[in-house]
Amino acid sequence: MGLWLALAAYLVGSILPAEIFVRWRTGRSPHDVEDNPGGGGAWRLAGPLAGVITILFDMGKGAIPTAIALQAGFRPPELIAVAAAPVIGHCWPFYKIIRLDRGGRGLGPATGALFAMAFREVVPAYILGALVAYRLRWLPSVGIVAFPLGLILMLLWRVPPERLTAALAVMLVVLVRNVGLLWTVLRTRGARLPH
């Protein structure tokens, strides 16, 4: 059952509502205008309502399968596969892999999966990340702050090891997807903060 849930989570993760909203509004993909097909890109290119719907959908596609896996009592590696699958689908959607194209950065579905696994522990980390993002006016800083701090809080508050392992896997998927972005920021010493 875990394999089927992971496959379904990957396929749902491949749905990028930002692509739909931005194409409807502008006739172009967010990547065509050098933006990200996530909540922030939808907000910038198609308006606040499109941004909010995209954020909620993206978080839901990470939270729902993870919550189902937890409720069903999945153990690693099935829990890891189910939690990471929607994030992988968001970052590398099945319909874009054929063209060697990419999807979003994965923050939305990763957030949903992390909230399902350790809500109490990661919410303070996300609040601090959101404050930093607001101050810098750069949405990816939410994850840059929330992921390491969330892991520390999960360790301190003794989250069960299988949830901690799955959370780490989700964060690693986002890290792999965003290595180029992080390299650009480090190389330019923060002078260039790409969307």
Side-chain angles (χ1 to χ4, degrees):
M1 179 169 156
L3 179 62
W4 292 109
L5 183 57
L7 179 61
Y10 171 79
L11 293 174
V12 172
S14 293
I15 300 169
L16 302 175
E19 288 269 348
I20 297 164
F21 286 124
V22 173
R23 281 189 190 278
W24 172 71
R25 183 79 184 254
T26 68
R28 300 174 75 192
S29 162
H31 286 302
D32 293 342
V33 291
E34 297 184 18
D35 212 326
N36 182 47
W43 188 297
R44 284 185 291 277
L45 300 171
L49 181 60
V52 168
I53 292 170
T54 298
I55 290 166
L56 293 175
F57 184 87
D58 286 350
M59 287 176 61
K61 66 187 180 185
I64 292 169
T66 304
I68 291 169
L70 290 168
Q71 193 68 21
F74 286 9
R75 309 299 291 166
E78 287 180 322
L79 178 59
I80 292 168
V82 171
V87 182
I88 294 168
H90 184 87
C91 295
W92 300 281
F94 72 91
Y95 61 92
K96 289 188 169 213
I97 289 177
I98 298 166
R99 298 186 320 243
L100 298 176
D101 203 356
R102 65 198 187 288
R105 291 206 181 100
L107 184 60
T111 299
L114 293 171
F115 280 7
M117 285 185 279
F119 186 79
R120 179 184 67 131
E121 293 79 11
V122 297
V123 165
Y126 270 87
I127 290 171
L128 182 59
L131 291 171
V132 170
Y134 180 76
R135 175 77 171 109
L136 296 177
R137 301 283 192 254
W138 191 53
L139 191 59
S141 57
V142 172
I144 292 170
V145 171
F147 285 3
L149 181 56
L151 275 177
I152 291 167
L153 293 175
M154 284 186 248
L155 285 168
L156 289 175
W157 292 340
R158 295 187 174 91
V159 169
E162 63 273 4
R163 290 181 185 221
L164 186 64
T165 305
L168 185 58
V170 165
M171 292 176 193
L172 286 174
V173 170
V174 176
L175 177 64
V176 166
R177 168 58 179 88
N178 292 289
V179 164
L181 172 91
L182 295 172
W183 175 246
T184 298
V185 172
L186 289 172
R187 192 181 73 242
T188 64
R189 293 191 176 109
R192 182 164 179 255
L193 298 175
H195 290 294

